[in-house]
Amino acid sequence: MGKKASEVNENKKTAGEPTFTIEDLAQKHPTPAWVMAGLKTAYGWGEGKKLTEKQFIEAKDKWLRGPMRRKVK
């Protein structure tokens, strides 16, 4: 089967850079469980998703700086 366009683009960005599972990166860069849950939901990451350290840190920082968009009734 062919790769999805997003997988191809992601592979181009990580060419030559080591990748790690998000779980390993969360341990290396202290990340509370609630932050991991938010990242997985926001970015559609599943268990075992592999990223470079740079990708993980950038995504984490972006998510933590982002607005909270929940309407309260």
Side-chain angles (χ1 to χ4, degrees):
M1 293 189 111
K3 293 184 177 184
K4 295 179 184 175
S6 60
E7 291 174 343
V8 172
N9 290 338
E10 187 173 292
N11 289 338
K12 286 182 184 177
K13 292 179 197 173
T14 63
E17 295 180 49
T19 59
F20 307 91
T21 65
I22 56 174
E23 292 80 15
D24 290 340
L25 290 166
Q27 285 184 340
K28 186 173 182 177
H29 303 278
T31 306
W34 67 269
V35 172
M36 279 301 292
L39 291 170
K40 287 179 177 181
T41 300
Y43 296 113
W45 295 347
E47 191 172 326
K49 171 76 174 165
K50 290 193 171 192
L51 299 171
T52 65
E53 281 189 73
K54 182 179 177 181
Q55 288 174 319
F56 180 79
I57 292 167
E58 286 176 355
K60 180 180 163 184
D61 290 346
K62 180 180 176 183
W63 185 79
L64 288 170
R65 286 191 312 264
M68 294 178 64
R69 295 186 180 170
R70 182 173 159 227
K71 292 183 180 181
V72 179
K73 291 184 178 186

